[in-house]
Amino acid sequence: MQVFDEKHIRNIVLVGGAKSGKTTLAETMLFEAKVINRRGSVEQKNTVSDFHELEHERGISVYATPLHTEWRDYKINIIDTPGLDDFIGEIIAPLRVADTAVMLFNAQHGVEVGTELVWQHVDRYRKPVIFAINQLDHPKADFEMTYNSIRDHFGSNAVLMQYPLNPGEGFNAIIDLLKMVMYKYPADGGKPEKLPIPENELQTANELHNILVEKAAENDESLMELYFEKGNLDEDELKKGLHIGMLHHELFPVMCISALKNMGSGRLMGFIDNVAPGSNELKPEISEDGTEVNFSVTGPAIIFVYRTEHEANLGKLTYFKVLSGELKKGMQLKNSNTHTVETINQLYVMDGHNRNPVDVLKAGDIGATLKLKNTDTNHTLHALTSELKITPIDFPKPRMTVVIKANNKKDDERLGEVLKKIHEQDPTIEYEQSRELKQLLLHCQGELHLITTKWTMEKVYGMDISFDKPKSHTGKPLQEPPTLPIVTKNKVAVQGSLEKYTCV
Ligand SMILES: Nc1nc2c(ncn2[C@@H]2O[C@H](COP(=O)(O)OP(=O)(O)OP(=O)(O)O)[C@@H](O)[C@H]2O)c(=O)[nH]1
Ligand SMILES: [Mg+2]
């Protein structure tokens, strides 16, 4: 596998409302880059990204899944995330290590509630963002409504870089306002023809092009001067302005796609390669004591762990980003959080559950390793001894509490150990032995989060557990949360299927 340098690595995270098409887009990008030669679908439960049994059962993404493409001299690391905010931990952890967030909107619905929540995190990190309006082939696609709702929510910095022709069932072409060409797609998608913009679209295209140019010029004084001089910017100047605007989180280019029909995905990838910023250009990471950790290709290796996964047959998988230097297989690293030494015996580039072994990963890249003993999410590891710890990902506090019990003695003994792993994998799940209530409490993000946690405990760890309402020592329920339903113990035990969980 080719080794890419910082100038040719792009890390993107796919975020957006539930079912906006993130997993379908990830699959299409892998197909475009020939990582796979047949596209799977969410319905057929055979996408590279949604590979967990739980995701197949529910028909949704539950976990942050890293994938990658190697295409036209660039490596794009893609992290596909869930759309439902019960899984917010799986969304904000990859957001932290991504260079650019590609935020999808379903052209049937415009901006949805879930998207607004994710935006708060994207905005907080001031990450570069691309807005991608997806599902433009859908009979109910409404481009105007979607773009207007984007402008209403995110303001005039959301600027059109493309617009679709014939959105809806006949969707077959995109006008590109950066290149000022039309991409015309075969009916079933794929490689487009690059054609001149039709006569009857020229006026609209010119007007929108001028808005894009003005917006791009605003981000740089020399570009502003050029724009005043010439009244326009050429393609390279425009790219530079877009790049700077994205880097400062001041300009959010809006692109058009149909992930399902593979229209616009290749152009999106080209834009990520050629215009979106790389890790070497982003603001430096900040350590817990306020020191700036500058991106360095030549410095000693530093990695930051953004995610941990416990896999039944593999053990502990640790996902990280290389912030400095080169990480080589066999290297020993010092964990500044636990003051222990870890050996990187395996080094992988991940595509869903496929592990591609590599010998080296350079600064700016994302990878995974196995079987680290004393390393968790949010830890920093160094090639040289250092006390420096990268500021941890700030995971949201849980919003729902239940009592958790094991239904037999054997499982009761394992409960603490299993909950520790569950928390390590998803830090937005917490647990505590309440001395006051004399009950073991499980805190999580919501009903679906609770259901999926139970599923994991039963199916992955073979536990027999049940949930109950927390009660005070007087026997009265502590809270009556109408919006936070609790799973009834008996029904879960009898029915044992996720779909049939009943709430009181
Ligand atoms: N017509 C049309 N359907 C699409 C498109 N992209 C995705 N879909 C469909 O939308 C549904 C959801 O797609 P996913 O790729 O699972 O969406 P997602 O955003 O990953 O969903 P979650 O991760 O569960 O939030 C599936 O039925 C897809 O086939 C598209 O471009 N056009
Ligand atoms: Mg998905």
Side-chain angles (χ1 to χ4, degrees):
M1 193 171 270
Q2 202 183 329
V3 180
F4 290 82
D5 67 19
E6 78 289 354
K7 292 195 185 69
H8 297 89
I9 298 170
R10 299 285 178 267
N11 300 301
I12 62 157
V13 60
L14 302 179
V15 293
K19 305 258 168 209
S20 49
K22 302 174 288 296
T23 300
T24 307
L25 175 63
E27 190 78 1
T28 298
M29 289 170 83
L30 296 190
F31 177 76
E32 270 290 291
K34 300 195 170 54
V35 176
I36 51 176
N37 49 30
R38 206 178 144 265
R39 286 193 295 154
S41 77
V42 176
E43 279 74 19
Q44 285 169 21
K45 306 180 196 305
N46 59 354
T47 62
V48 180
S49 178
D50 281 357
F51 67 90
H52 289 92
E53 199 188 330
L54 174 59
E55 296 178 314
H56 292 167
E57 269 195 32
R58 305 293 299 184
I60 56 168
S61 301
V62 175
Y63 305 103
T65 307
L67 312 152
H68 91 290
T69 61
E70 294 178 17
W71 194 65
R72 298 188 186 162
D73 299 332
Y74 281 84
K75 176 182 190 186
I76 306 180
N77 291 312
I78 305 163
I79 309 182
D80 178 28
T81 68
L84 292 169
D85 67 334
D86 279 55
F87 309 116
I88 189 72
E90 302 281 346
I91 302 171
I92 64 169
L95 197 50
R96 176 63 181 275
V97 292
D99 312 327
T100 294
V102 177
M103 201 154 174
L104 268 73
F105 298 89
N106 185 335
Q108 299 172 63
H109 308 304
V111 177
E112 296 172 89
V113 180
T115 325
E116 286 177 357
L117 290 171
V118 176
W119 176 255
Q120 291 171 8
H121 297 281
V122 175
D123 208 32
R124 182 153 64 109
Y125 289 130
R126 300 201 57 80
K127 286 273 170 184
V129 186
I130 297 169
F131 288 154
I133 301 184
N134 187 34
Q135 309 217 6
L136 282 163
D137 63 289
H138 196 281
K140 292 194 182 136
D142 186 339
F143 175 74
E144 297 283 326
M145 175 278 294
T146 303
Y147 181 55
N148 287 339
S149 78
I150 291 175
R151 294 269 301 209
D152 287 348
H153 282 83
F154 309 111
S156 62
N157 286 345
V159 59
L160 283 184
M161 215 199 77
Q162 298 178 326
Y163 70 93
L165 289 190
N166 318 317
E169 254 162 324
F171 177 53
N172 65 345
I174 294 170
I175 304 287
D176 194 292
L177 302 163
L178 167 55
K179 289 187 178 285
M180 286 304 275
V181 292
M182 174 172 78
Y183 291 106
K184 188 152 186 235
Y185 294 87
D188 52 356
K191 199 172 161 39
E193 267 182 280
K194 210 168 159 181
L195 299 171
I197 296 175
E199 200 73 25
N200 59 352
E201 287 297 328
L202 267 179
Q203 192 187 340
T204 312
N206 279 327
E207 281 168 15
L208 294 172
H209 174 78
N210 289 342
I211 296 175
L212 181 69
V213 168
E214 248 176 67
K215 224 42 202 152
E218 269 175 22
N219 296 293
D220 185 85
E221 259 180 45
S222 61
L223 286 178
M224 203 65 188
E225 276 171 26
L226 271 177
Y227 176 57
F228 280 135
E229 250 171 63
K230 304 194 294 181
N232 205 343
L233 295 179
D234 66 25
E235 191 183 322
D236 284 341
E237 292 157 351
L238 192 44
K239 278 186 190 163
K240 184 178 166 198
L242 291 171
H243 177 86
I244 299 170
M246 285 179 73
L247 198 53
H248 296 160
H249 189 70
E250 299 282 355
L251 193 156
F252 321 130
V254 179
M255 300 186 73
C256 296
I257 52 171
S258 162
L260 189 68
K261 290 209 159 175
N262 190 8
M263 295 181 184
S265 354
R267 175 73 184 109
L268 172 65
M269 291 166 78
F271 184 78
I272 292 166
D273 290 346
N274 296 313
V275 182
S279 296
N280 54 331
E281 298 169 286
L282 299 186
K283 283 194 304 257
E285 286 286 343
I286 306 290
S287 74
E288 279 182 1
D289 63 7
T291 312
E292 288 195 348
V293 183
N294 287 312
F295 182 93
S296 163
V297 180
T298 51
I302 304 176
I303 66 170
F304 175 70
V305 176
Y306 70 93
R307 190 166 182 266
T308 303
E309 184 164 357
H310 290 280
E311 273 243 0
N313 304 322
L314 277 179
K316 188 167 163 181
L317 257 169
T318 299
Y319 296 90
F320 57 83
K321 181 170 186 181
V322 185
L323 301 182
S324 163
E326 277 187 8
L327 181 66
K328 293 189 178 136
K329 197 173 141 190
M331 234 174 179
Q332 288 203 322
L333 298 180
K334 287 141 198 146
N335 181 322
S336 51
N337 298 79
T338 56
H339 303 286
T340 51
V341 176
E342 302 275 20
T343 306
I344 308 293
N345 285 318
Q346 290 96 357
L347 201 50
Y348 301 113
V349 167
M350 303 292 289
D351 286 317
H353 74 286
N354 298 328
R355 282 168 286 132
N356 306 293
V358 290
D359 292 327
V360 60
L361 289 173
K362 294 194 174 215
D365 217 337
I366 282 175
T369 186
L370 268 177
K371 297 190 182 15
L372 298 190
K373 291 192 181 70
N374 297 299
T375 295
D376 286 324
T377 300
N378 271 335
H379 287 184
T380 310
L381 286 82
H382 304 261
L384 302 179
T385 303
S386 168
E387 285 301 306
L388 187 137
K389 303 175 191 73
I390 298 296
T391 311
I393 300 161
D394 185 12
F395 288 102
K397 285 284 151 206
R399 298 176 293 171
M400 174 180 186
T401 298
V402 294
V403 170
I404 180 167
K405 291 176 193 161
N407 293 334
N408 59 57
K409 191 164 178 296
K410 187 177 99 277
D411 288 341
D412 191 45
E413 281 162 11
R414 292 174 57 217
L415 195 53
E417 168 212 338
V418 170
L419 283 172
K420 182 169 178 286
K421 286 188 175 167
I422 296 271
H423 169 73
E424 275 172 9
Q425 178 152 331
D426 183 348
T428 69
I429 301 172
E430 295 177 11
Y431 61 99
E432 63 171 319
Q433 180 66 48
S434 164
R435 280 203 200 158
E436 190 202 334
L437 305 178
K438 301 199 172 34
Q439 291 166 326
L440 183 61
L441 302 180
L442 180 81
H443 310 286
C444 63
Q445 298 295 324
E447 186 190 358
L448 184 59
H449 205 202
L450 189 65
I451 292 171
T452 52
T453 304
K454 186 169 187 2
W455 189 97
T456 308
M457 292 184 80
E458 289 178 348
K459 295 265 169 102
V460 178
Y461 295 102
M463 303 279 287
D464 182 8
I465 53 150
S466 53
F467 297 134
D468 211 341
K469 286 179 187 169
K471 293 215 176 90
S472 73
H473 50 273
T474 62
K476 284 194 183 144
L478 270 187
Q479 56 190 141
E480 249 351 300
T483 52
L484 304 175
I486 315 265
V487 179
T488 356
K489 167 165 77 175
N490 292 339
K491 297 222 167 126
V492 172
V494 173
Q495 294 172 339
S497 135
L498 276 173
E499 294 306 325
K500 292 178 188 153
Y501 273 24
T502 310
C503 300
V504 290

